[in-house]
Structures are given as C-alpha cells and as structure tokens.
Amino acid sequence: MMFTELDSLKAKLDALRPLPKHTVKSLHEQLVLDWTYNSNAIEGNTLTLKETKVVLEGITVGGKSMREHCEAINHKEAIDFVEDIVSNKAPLSESLIKSIHHLVLKQIDDENAGVYRQQNVVISGAEHRPPGCIKVPDEMQTLVECHNRLEIHPVESAARLHTDFVKIHPFVDGNGRTARLLMNFELMRNGYLPVVIKAKDRLSYYDALDTAHTKNDYSFFITMVINAEIAMLNTYLELICCD
C-alpha cells in the first residue's frame, strides 16, 4: 500500500524534529509561493511563478489585471489563516469553510465571498452536475458532520474532503482554491505536510475528481494526493538530511 511508504517517510521526518529553523523557514516560503502560484494557475490566473513572488512582495506587475493580483495576495492570506487555525486546533466547521472562502474572494467578489451560492451552476468540462442551490446548506452540513466522523487514514480523509466539497460546489466562484486549502488544512492538522497540486497536472486532476463524482471511485484522486505528499516529504528529507 502507498500509505506504508508515506507513513514511513513521515516517521523518518518526525524522528528528526525539531527541524532546523532556517531550513524550515526557506521550505515554508517556497511552499507558500508554489501553492499560491499553482492553485491560482489551475483556475486560469496568468501570473508566472516569478510574477507571483513579486506580487506577494508587494510589487505590482504591469499588464496583469487587478483580479490576478488580488488572487495571489488573497491566497497567501488564506494560507496564513489556515496555518493559524491548525495551530489553534480548530475543527472543521461550516464557519471555518466560509471564512477561508471569504479570504479567497475578498475584493474580487465581496457580495459572494463566504456566502453559499443562491443559483444553480455547472462545472465547465465536467460530467458531474452539482446539486441545486436550495440543497447546498443541507449538503454542506452533512459534509462537515460526516467528515468529522470518518475514521480513515488522514491523507485519504483530506482527499475525500476536497473531492466531496467540490462535488457540492457550494460557492459561485473560488471552489477549487478553497478545496485545496481545506485539503491542506486536514493534512496539517493531522501532522502531515501540505501538498501542491501542480498546474501542469490540471487535466489529470480534473479527470480524477470527475471520476470520483460520477463513479464514486476516489482511488485516482487519493493516489494523486498520496504521491504529492510523498514528494513533499522527500523534499523536506533531502534538504534536512543533506549530510
């Protein structure tokens, strides 16, 4: 099982704690940049990795829209918020989900930031159709209640949270970014590293989600998250064990 390799790597990293502060700081800075760039790029943001870095440093990039600048800044603030709630050991809740989404969409669509959609939507290119807007509140309540009762491997739990959240598509916009933030919230609160879904893997990412939604087969997406976690653990181990 891939969980065996994953947990072996996690145990190896945990055995090295406390980790070197400067190494962890540089790894964290790179993670935030990669996570922000890739998560926004998946949704169509045209900022490059270097441009995203510049925007996060407070510099405006010529030729890019204000929305794209806000998406980068907002995402960084959402990561900060998720890290804070993890350190405070906050449980998954609807208010937490709405708070994350509000940060993702603030100054972009303030009317809908943190507010469940009140209209029906379709997901472009997907076979799955989200539930009608009237069902969203009940579906989200059920999502949180069921997820908090799950007794499965934390990485599988994180993957399922992402998948089931996107299946509901509770907001008019920003669902993908919020889903990936929620997935990493679940990973981090269980002692795992946050993962980055690469923009170059967008097609296989969407296919894996649609397979879960239409065929109830989560295996492809769970495997994708496991591989991303293994890659992140190996990155940390390679730098920390460089001797």
Side-chain angles (χ1 to χ4, degrees):
M1 283 290 292
M2 295 181 73
F3 287 128
T4 304
E5 178 186 358
L6 186 157
D7 289 337
S8 174
L9 290 170
K10 180 179 181 297
K12 190 179 295 186
L13 183 65
D14 288 344
L16 296 170
R17 295 184 188 279
L19 305 177
K21 290 183 180 179
H22 292 295
T23 304
V24 169
K25 183 175 183 292
S26 62
L27 281 166
H28 180 262
E29 289 173 354
Q30 186 62 44
L31 165 69
V32 169
L33 176 59
D34 285 344
W35 183 357
T36 297
Y37 160 70
N38 282 283
S39 196
N40 283 335
I42 286 173
E43 306 302 332
N45 188 300
T46 65
L47 289 172
T48 65
L49 182 68
K50 289 182 179 179
E51 287 171 341
T52 301
K53 184 177 189 297
V54 167
V55 170
L56 294 182
E57 291 170 350
I59 301 171
T60 301
V61 177
K64 301 295 181 177
S65 69
M66 184 55 65
R67 179 186 177 110
E68 290 180 310
H69 283 78
C70 287
E71 285 177 346
I73 295 164
N74 287 0
H75 194 273
K76 167 63 167 62
E77 290 183 8
I79 292 175
D80 292 342
F81 175 72
V82 167
E83 291 176 338
D84 284 343
I85 59 180
V86 167
S87 64
N88 291 327
K89 303 186 184 305
L92 179 70
S93 66
E94 288 186 74
S95 62
L96 182 151
I97 292 170
K98 289 178 178 180
S99 294
I100 292 173
H101 182 262
H102 183 270
L103 289 171
V104 169
L105 274 199
K106 72 171 187 168
Q107 297 183 310
I108 296 172
D109 184 356
D110 288 326
E111 181 181 352
N112 291 301
V115 179
Y116 290 153
R117 60 181 167 88
Q118 297 178 21
Q119 51 191 289
N120 296 333
V121 295
V122 295
I123 303 174
S124 178
E127 184 180 339
H128 166 68
R129 177 162 293 187
C133 59
I134 197 168
K135 297 180 179 178
V136 168
D138 287 343
E139 294 264 359
M140 288 301 294
Q141 181 180 352
T142 300
L143 170 72
V144 170
E145 290 174 352
C146 290
H147 183 78
N148 284 331
R149 290 199 303 265
L150 281 178
E151 295 183 0
I152 55 177
H153 192 283
V155 176
E156 180 178 354
S157 177
R160 284 181 174 269
L161 175 59
H162 177 302
T163 309
D164 293 340
F165 173 85
V166 173
K167 186 176 184 178
I168 299 170
H169 215 75
F171 303 106
V172 293
D173 191 18
N175 292 283
R177 279 174 279 250
T178 302
R180 292 183 286 277
L181 285 156
L182 286 172
M183 177 172 67
N184 280 338
F185 160 74
E186 183 68 9
L187 288 170
M188 288 188 286
R189 75 169 181 154
N190 283 289
Y192 289 82
L193 298 174
V195 301
V196 175
I197 303 295
K198 301 292 187 180
K200 66 180 178 63
D201 298 324
R202 181 193 289 113
L203 182 58
S204 56
Y205 168 67
Y206 285 152
D207 284 346
L209 287 171
D210 212 30
T211 298
H213 297 158
T214 59
K215 300 178 180 177
N216 200 35
D217 181 357
Y218 289 76
S219 61
F220 295 101
F221 189 68
I222 292 169
T223 298
M224 177 175 281
V225 177
I226 290 172
N227 286 334
E229 181 68 28
I230 287 173
M232 192 64 70
L233 286 163
N234 277 323
T235 297
Y236 271 62
L237 286 167
E238 286 167 8
L239 278 173
I240 291 167
C241 303
C242 58
D243 55 339

Short mmCIF file of all heavy atoms in Angstrom, two decimals, residues 84-136:
data_model
loop_
_atom_site.label_atom_id
_atom_site.label_comp_id
_atom_site.label_asym_id
_atom_site.label_seq_id
_atom_site.Cartn_x
_atom_site.Cartn_y
_atom_site.Cartn_z
N ASP A 84 -2.95 29.33 11.06
CA ASP A 84 -3.36 29.80 12.39
C ASP A 84 -4.40 28.87 13.01
O ASP A 84 -4.30 28.51 14.19
CB ASP A 84 -3.91 31.22 12.33
CG ASP A 84 -2.82 32.27 12.18
OD1 ASP A 84 -1.65 31.94 12.43
OD2 ASP A 84 -3.15 33.41 11.79
N ILE A 85 -5.41 28.49 12.22
CA ILE A 85 -6.46 27.64 12.78
C ILE A 85 -5.95 26.23 13.06
O ILE A 85 -6.43 25.57 13.98
CB ILE A 85 -7.73 27.61 11.89
CG1 ILE A 85 -7.41 27.10 10.49
CG2 ILE A 85 -8.38 28.98 11.84
CD1 ILE A 85 -8.63 27.06 9.57
N VAL A 86 -4.96 25.79 12.30
CA VAL A 86 -4.34 24.49 12.60
C VAL A 86 -3.61 24.56 13.92
O VAL A 86 -3.73 23.67 14.77
CB VAL A 86 -3.38 24.06 11.46
CG1 VAL A 86 -2.51 22.89 11.90
CG2 VAL A 86 -4.16 23.67 10.21
N SER A 87 -2.85 25.64 14.13
CA SER A 87 -2.10 25.78 15.38
C SER A 87 -3.03 25.93 16.58
O SER A 87 -2.68 25.54 17.70
CB SER A 87 -1.15 26.98 15.31
OG SER A 87 -1.87 28.19 15.19
N ASN A 88 -4.23 26.44 16.34
CA ASN A 88 -5.22 26.58 17.41
C ASN A 88 -6.11 25.35 17.55
O ASN A 88 -7.05 25.37 18.37
CB ASN A 88 -6.09 27.82 17.17
CG ASN A 88 -5.31 29.11 17.35
OD1 ASN A 88 -4.39 29.19 18.16
ND2 ASN A 88 -5.65 30.13 16.56
N LYS A 89 -5.81 24.33 16.73
CA LYS A 89 -6.53 23.04 16.79
C LYS A 89 -8.04 23.20 16.57
O LYS A 89 -8.85 22.54 17.21
CB LYS A 89 -6.26 22.32 18.11
CG LYS A 89 -4.78 22.07 18.38
CD LYS A 89 -4.56 21.24 19.61
CE LYS A 89 -3.08 21.07 19.93
NZ LYS A 89 -2.29 20.53 18.83
N ALA A 90 -8.39 24.09 15.66
CA ALA A 90 -9.81 24.29 15.33
C ALA A 90 -10.33 23.12 14.51
O ALA A 90 -9.65 22.64 13.60
CB ALA A 90 -10.00 25.59 14.56
N PRO A 91 -11.54 22.65 14.78
CA PRO A 91 -12.11 21.55 14.00
C PRO A 91 -12.71 22.06 12.69
O PRO A 91 -12.92 23.28 12.52
CB PRO A 91 -13.22 21.02 14.92
CG PRO A 91 -13.68 22.24 15.67
CD PRO A 91 -12.43 23.07 15.88
N LEU A 92 -12.97 21.15 11.78
CA LEU A 92 -13.66 21.52 10.55
C LEU A 92 -15.08 21.97 10.88
O LEU A 92 -15.78 21.32 11.66
CB LEU A 92 -13.72 20.32 9.60
CG LEU A 92 -14.45 20.57 8.27
CD1 LEU A 92 -13.64 21.50 7.38
CD2 LEU A 92 -14.72 19.25 7.55
N SER A 93 -15.50 23.09 10.31
CA SER A 93 -16.86 23.60 10.53
C SER A 93 -17.27 24.40 9.31
O SER A 93 -16.44 24.81 8.50
CB SER A 93 -16.91 24.48 11.78
OG SER A 93 -16.14 25.67 11.58
N GLU A 94 -18.57 24.66 9.21
CA GLU A 94 -19.04 25.48 8.10
C GLU A 94 -18.52 26.91 8.22
O GLU A 94 -18.19 27.55 7.22
CB GLU A 94 -20.56 25.47 8.05
CG GLU A 94 -21.15 24.15 7.58
CD GLU A 94 -22.65 24.23 7.40
OE1 GLU A 94 -23.09 24.83 6.41
OE2 GLU A 94 -23.37 23.68 8.27
N SER A 95 -18.45 27.44 9.42
CA SER A 95 -17.95 28.81 9.60
C SER A 95 -16.49 28.91 9.18
O SER A 95 -16.07 29.92 8.59
CB SER A 95 -18.13 29.27 11.04
OG SER A 95 -17.39 28.46 11.93
N LEU A 96 -15.71 27.87 9.44
CA LEU A 96 -14.31 27.85 9.03
C LEU A 96 -14.22 27.85 7.50
O LEU A 96 -13.43 28.60 6.91
CB LEU A 96 -13.62 26.61 9.61
CG LEU A 96 -12.13 26.42 9.35
CD1 LEU A 96 -11.50 25.64 10.49
CD2 LEU A 96 -11.89 25.66 8.04
N ILE A 97 -15.03 27.02 6.86
CA ILE A 97 -15.05 26.95 5.40
C ILE A 97 -15.42 28.30 4.80
O ILE A 97 -14.78 28.79 3.86
CB ILE A 97 -16.03 25.85 4.92
CG1 ILE A 97 -15.51 24.47 5.32
CG2 ILE A 97 -16.24 25.92 3.41
CD1 ILE A 97 -16.50 23.34 5.11
N LYS A 98 -16.45 28.93 5.35
CA LYS A 98 -16.87 30.23 4.85
C LYS A 98 -15.80 31.30 5.06
O LYS A 98 -15.62 32.19 4.22
CB LYS A 98 -18.18 30.66 5.52
CG LYS A 98 -19.39 29.84 5.07
CD LYS A 98 -20.65 30.27 5.82
CE LYS A 98 -21.87 29.50 5.35
NZ LYS A 98 -23.11 29.90 6.07
N SER A 99 -15.08 31.22 6.17
CA SER A 99 -14.02 32.19 6.44
C SER A 99 -12.88 32.05 5.43
O SER A 99 -12.34 33.05 4.95
CB SER A 99 -13.48 31.99 7.86
OG SER A 99 -14.46 32.30 8.83
N ILE A 100 -12.51 30.80 5.12
CA ILE A 100 -11.46 30.56 4.12
C ILE A 100 -11.91 31.12 2.77
O ILE A 100 -11.16 31.84 2.09
CB ILE A 100 -11.14 29.06 4.01
CG1 ILE A 100 -10.47 28.55 5.29
CG2 ILE A 100 -10.24 28.79 2.78
CD1 ILE A 100 -10.26 27.06 5.33
N HIS A 101 -13.15 30.81 2.38
CA HIS A 101 -13.64 31.27 1.09
C HIS A 101 -13.73 32.79 1.05
O HIS A 101 -13.44 33.41 0.00
CB HIS A 101 -15.02 30.66 0.80
CG HIS A 101 -15.56 31.06 -0.54
ND1 HIS A 101 -16.46 32.09 -0.72
CD2 HIS A 101 -15.29 30.58 -1.79
CE1 HIS A 101 -16.73 32.21 -2.00
NE2 HIS A 101 -16.03 31.33 -2.67
N HIS A 102 -14.11 33.41 2.14
CA HIS A 102 -14.18 34.88 2.18
C HIS A 102 -12.82 35.48 1.88
O HIS A 102 -12.72 36.48 1.14
CB HIS A 102 -14.67 35.35 3.56
CG HIS A 102 -14.85 36.83 3.64
ND1 HIS A 102 -13.84 37.67 4.04
CD2 HIS A 102 -15.91 37.63 3.35
CE1 HIS A 102 -14.25 38.92 4.00
NE2 HIS A 102 -15.52 38.93 3.59
N LEU A 103 -11.76 34.91 2.42
CA LEU A 103 -10.42 35.41 2.16
C LEU A 103 -10.04 35.22 0.69
O LEU A 103 -9.37 36.07 0.10
CB LEU A 103 -9.40 34.70 3.06
CG LEU A 103 -9.45 35.09 4.54
CD1 LEU A 103 -8.57 34.16 5.36
CD2 LEU A 103 -9.04 36.54 4.74
N VAL A 104 -10.46 34.10 0.10
CA VAL A 104 -10.13 33.81 -1.30
C VAL A 104 -10.76 34.84 -2.24
O VAL A 104 -10.15 35.27 -3.22
CB VAL A 104 -10.59 32.38 -1.67
CG1 VAL A 104 -10.53 32.15 -3.17
CG2 VAL A 104 -9.73 31.34 -0.95
N LEU A 105 -12.00 35.26 -1.95
CA LEU A 105 -12.74 36.12 -2.87
C LEU A 105 -12.83 37.59 -2.46
O LEU A 105 -13.42 38.39 -3.19
CB LEU A 105 -14.16 35.59 -3.08
CG LEU A 105 -14.39 34.51 -4.14
CD1 LEU A 105 -15.85 34.45 -4.51
CD2 LEU A 105 -13.55 34.72 -5.39
N LYS A 106 -12.27 37.96 -1.32
CA LYS A 106 -12.43 39.35 -0.87
C LYS A 106 -11.80 40.31 -1.88
O LYS A 106 -10.77 40.01 -2.49
CB LYS A 106 -11.83 39.55 0.52
CG LYS A 106 -10.33 39.52 0.58
CD LYS A 106 -9.84 39.94 1.96
CE LYS A 106 -8.33 40.08 1.95
NZ LYS A 106 -7.82 40.73 3.14
N GLN A 107 -12.46 41.45 -2.07
CA GLN A 107 -12.06 42.48 -3.03
C GLN A 107 -12.11 42.01 -4.49
O GLN A 107 -11.71 42.75 -5.39
CB GLN A 107 -10.65 43.03 -2.71
CG GLN A 107 -10.58 43.73 -1.35
CD GLN A 107 -9.22 44.32 -1.07
OE1 GLN A 107 -8.21 43.65 -1.21
NE2 GLN A 107 -9.19 45.58 -0.65
N ILE A 108 -12.58 40.80 -4.69
CA ILE A 108 -12.81 40.28 -6.03
C ILE A 108 -14.31 40.17 -6.28
O ILE A 108 -14.83 40.64 -7.28
CB ILE A 108 -12.15 38.90 -6.22
CG1 ILE A 108 -10.62 39.01 -6.11
CG2 ILE A 108 -12.54 38.29 -7.57
CD1 ILE A 108 -9.90 37.68 -6.09
N ASP A 109 -15.00 39.57 -5.30
CA ASP A 109 -16.47 39.46 -5.35
C ASP A 109 -16.97 39.47 -3.91
O ASP A 109 -17.34 38.44 -3.36
CB ASP A 109 -16.86 38.17 -6.08
CG ASP A 109 -18.37 38.04 -6.26
OD1 ASP A 109 -19.11 38.91 -5.77
OD2 ASP A 109 -18.80 37.04 -6.88
N ASP A 110 -16.97 40.65 -3.32
CA ASP A 110 -17.34 40.78 -1.90
C ASP A 110 -18.77 40.32 -1.62
O ASP A 110 -19.08 39.84 -0.54
CB ASP A 110 -17.15 42.22 -1.43
CG ASP A 110 -15.68 42.59 -1.28
OD1 ASP A 110 -14.89 41.70 -0.92
OD2 ASP A 110 -15.33 43.75 -1.55
N GLU A 111 -19.64 40.45 -2.60
CA GLU A 111 -21.04 40.07 -2.42
C GLU A 111 -21.18 38.57 -2.17
O GLU A 111 -22.04 38.13 -1.40
CB GLU A 111 -21.86 40.46 -3.65
CG GLU A 111 -23.34 40.13 -3.53
CD GLU A 111 -24.12 40.52 -4.78
OE1 GLU A 111 -23.54 41.18 -5.67
OE2 GLU A 111 -25.31 40.16 -4.86
N ASN A 112 -20.32 37.79 -2.82
CA ASN A 112 -20.43 36.33 -2.71
C ASN A 112 -19.33 35.70 -1.85
O ASN A 112 -19.33 34.48 -1.67
CB ASN A 112 -20.39 35.71 -4.11
CG ASN A 112 -21.66 36.01 -4.90
OD1 ASN A 112 -22.76 35.67 -4.49
ND2 ASN A 112 -21.50 36.68 -6.04
N ALA A 113 -18.42 36.50 -1.33
CA ALA A 113 -17.32 35.97 -0.52
C ALA A 113 -17.85 35.38 0.79
O ALA A 113 -18.47 36.10 1.58
CB ALA A 113 -16.30 37.07 -0.24
N GLY A 114 -17.63 34.11 0.99
CA GLY A 114 -18.08 33.45 2.21
C GLY A 114 -19.57 33.17 2.26
O GLY A 114 -20.10 32.84 3.32
N VAL A 115 -20.26 33.28 1.12
CA VAL A 115 -21.72 33.09 1.06
C VAL A 115 -22.05 31.94 0.13
O VAL A 115 -21.59 31.92 -1.03
CB VAL A 115 -22.42 34.38 0.55
CG1 VAL A 115 -23.92 34.17 0.47
CG2 VAL A 115 -22.07 35.56 1.44
N TYR A 116 -22.84 30.97 0.61
CA TYR A 116 -23.24 29.86 -0.25
C TYR A 116 -24.01 30.40 -1.46
O TYR A 116 -24.79 31.36 -1.34
CB TYR A 116 -24.13 28.87 0.51
CG TYR A 116 -23.41 28.07 1.58
CD1 TYR A 116 -24.09 27.59 2.69
CD2 TYR A 116 -22.05 27.77 1.48
CE1 TYR A 116 -23.46 26.84 3.67
CE2 TYR A 116 -21.41 27.04 2.45
CZ TYR A 116 -22.11 26.58 3.55
OH TYR A 116 -21.47 25.84 4.51
N ARG A 117 -23.81 29.76 -2.58
CA ARG A 117 -24.46 30.20 -3.82
C ARG A 117 -25.99 30.10 -3.72
O ARG A 117 -26.52 29.19 -3.09
CB ARG A 117 -23.95 29.40 -5.01
CG ARG A 117 -24.18 27.90 -4.95
CD ARG A 117 -23.60 27.23 -6.20
NE ARG A 117 -23.53 25.78 -6.04
CZ ARG A 117 -24.51 24.95 -6.34
NH1 ARG A 117 -25.66 25.40 -6.81
NH2 ARG A 117 -24.35 23.64 -6.16
N GLN A 118 -26.63 31.02 -4.37
CA GLN A 118 -28.09 31.06 -4.41
C GLN A 118 -28.58 30.93 -5.85
O GLN A 118 -29.66 31.42 -6.20
CB GLN A 118 -28.60 32.34 -3.75
CG GLN A 118 -28.22 32.41 -2.28
CD GLN A 118 -28.67 33.70 -1.61
OE1 GLN A 118 -29.57 34.38 -2.10
NE2 GLN A 118 -28.03 34.05 -0.50
N GLN A 119 -27.78 30.26 -6.65
CA GLN A 119 -28.15 29.97 -8.04
C GLN A 119 -27.52 28.65 -8.43
O GLN A 119 -26.56 28.19 -7.80
CB GLN A 119 -27.67 31.10 -8.96
CG GLN A 119 -26.21 31.46 -8.78
CD GLN A 119 -25.84 32.74 -9.50
OE1 GLN A 119 -25.77 32.77 -10.72
NE2 GLN A 119 -25.59 33.80 -8.74
N ASN A 120 -28.07 28.03 -9.45
CA ASN A 120 -27.56 26.75 -9.91
C ASN A 120 -26.37 26.97 -10.84
O ASN A 120 -26.28 27.99 -11.53
CB ASN A 120 -28.66 25.95 -10.62
CG ASN A 120 -29.79 25.58 -9.68
OD1 ASN A 120 -29.60 25.46 -8.46
ND2 ASN A 120 -30.99 25.42 -10.22
N VAL A 121 -25.45 26.01 -10.84
CA VAL A 121 -24.24 26.15 -11.64
C VAL A 121 -23.91 24.82 -12.33
O VAL A 121 -24.41 23.76 -11.96
CB VAL A 121 -23.03 26.56 -10.77
CG1 VAL A 121 -23.22 27.94 -10.18
CG2 VAL A 121 -22.76 25.52 -9.67
N VAL A 122 -23.08 24.91 -13.35
CA VAL A 122 -22.49 23.72 -13.97
C VAL A 122 -20.98 23.89 -13.90
O VAL A 122 -20.47 25.02 -13.86
CB VAL A 122 -22.94 23.52 -15.43
CG1 VAL A 122 -24.43 23.23 -15.50
CG2 VAL A 122 -22.58 24.73 -16.28
N ILE A 123 -20.25 22.78 -13.87
CA ILE A 123 -18.79 22.82 -13.86
C ILE A 123 -18.33 22.59 -15.28
O ILE A 123 -18.54 21.52 -15.86
CB ILE A 123 -18.20 21.75 -12.92
CG1 ILE A 123 -18.76 21.93 -11.50
CG2 ILE A 123 -16.68 21.85 -12.90
CD1 ILE A 123 -18.34 20.83 -10.54
N SER A 124 -17.71 23.59 -15.87
CA SER A 124 -17.29 23.52 -17.26
C SER A 124 -16.39 22.32 -17.52
O SER A 124 -15.39 22.10 -16.82
CB SER A 124 -16.55 24.81 -17.64
OG SER A 124 -16.08 24.76 -18.96
N GLY A 125 -16.76 21.50 -18.50
CA GLY A 125 -15.95 20.36 -18.90
C GLY A 125 -16.14 19.11 -18.07
O GLY A 125 -15.56 18.07 -18.36
N ALA A 126 -16.96 19.19 -17.02
CA ALA A 126 -17.16 18.04 -16.13
C ALA A 126 -18.48 17.35 -16.44
O ALA A 126 -19.47 17.98 -16.82
CB ALA A 126 -17.13 18.48 -14.68
N GLU A 127 -18.49 16.03 -16.27
CA GLU A 127 -19.72 15.27 -16.45
C GLU A 127 -20.66 15.47 -15.27
O GLU A 127 -21.88 15.49 -15.42
CB GLU A 127 -19.37 13.78 -16.60
CG GLU A 127 -20.56 12.89 -16.90
CD GLU A 127 -20.16 11.43 -17.05
OE1 GLU A 127 -18.97 11.15 -17.31
OE2 GLU A 127 -21.05 10.56 -16.89
N HIS A 128 -20.08 15.63 -14.08
CA HIS A 128 -20.88 15.80 -12.87
C HIS A 128 -21.57 17.16 -12.83
O HIS A 128 -20.98 18.17 -13.22
CB HIS A 128 -19.98 15.67 -11.63
CG HIS A 128 -20.61 16.16 -10.36
ND1 HIS A 128 -21.68 15.54 -9.77
CD2 HIS A 128 -20.34 17.26 -9.60
CE1 HIS A 128 -22.03 16.20 -8.68
NE2 HIS A 128 -21.23 17.24 -8.55
N ARG A 129 -22.81 17.18 -12.37
CA ARG A 129 -23.53 18.44 -12.17
C ARG A 129 -23.79 18.63 -10.67
O ARG A 129 -24.39 17.76 -10.03
CB ARG A 129 -24.85 18.44 -12.93
CG ARG A 129 -25.68 19.70 -12.69
CD ARG A 129 -26.75 19.90 -13.74
NE ARG A 129 -26.17 20.20 -15.04
CZ ARG A 129 -26.89 20.56 -16.11
NH1 ARG A 129 -28.20 20.66 -16.03
NH2 ARG A 129 -26.29 20.83 -17.25
N PRO A 130 -23.36 19.74 -10.10
CA PRO A 130 -23.55 19.98 -8.66
C PRO A 130 -25.03 20.06 -8.29
O PRO A 130 -25.88 20.32 -9.15
CB PRO A 130 -22.87 21.34 -8.43
CG PRO A 130 -21.93 21.49 -9.58
CD PRO A 130 -22.60 20.83 -10.73
N PRO A 131 -25.35 19.84 -7.02
CA PRO A 131 -26.75 19.91 -6.58
C PRO A 131 -27.33 21.31 -6.74
O PRO A 131 -26.58 22.30 -6.79
CB PRO A 131 -26.67 19.51 -5.10
CG PRO A 131 -25.27 19.86 -4.69
CD PRO A 131 -24.43 19.56 -5.90
N GLY A 132 -28.65 21.40 -6.82
CA GLY A 132 -29.31 22.69 -6.90
C GLY A 132 -28.99 23.54 -5.68
O GLY A 132 -28.73 23.01 -4.59
N CYS A 133 -29.05 24.85 -5.85
CA CYS A 133 -28.64 25.75 -4.78
C CYS A 133 -29.46 25.57 -3.51
O CYS A 133 -28.94 25.77 -2.40
CB CYS A 133 -28.71 27.20 -5.26
SG CYS A 133 -30.34 27.74 -5.81
N ILE A 134 -30.70 25.18 -3.65
CA ILE A 134 -31.55 25.02 -2.46
C ILE A 134 -31.05 23.89 -1.56
O ILE A 134 -31.33 23.88 -0.35
CB ILE A 134 -33.02 24.78 -2.88
CG1 ILE A 134 -33.96 25.01 -1.70
CG2 ILE A 134 -33.20 23.37 -3.47
CD1 ILE A 134 -35.42 25.08 -2.10
N LYS A 135 -30.29 22.96 -2.13
CA LYS A 135 -29.78 21.82 -1.36
C LYS A 135 -28.43 22.09 -0.72
O LYS A 135 -27.97 21.31 0.12
CB LYS A 135 -29.67 20.59 -2.26
CG LYS A 135 -30.99 20.09 -2.82
CD LYS A 135 -30.76 18.86 -3.70
CE LYS A 135 -32.07 18.32 -4.26
NZ LYS A 135 -31.85 17.16 -5.16
N VAL A 136 -27.78 23.18 -1.12
CA VAL A 136 -26.41 23.42 -0.67
C VAL A 136 -26.26 23.48 0.84
O VAL A 136 -25.36 22.83 1.41
CB VAL A 136 -25.83 24.68 -1.35
CG1 VAL A 136 -24.52 25.11 -0.67
CG2 VAL A 136 -25.58 24.42 -2.82
#
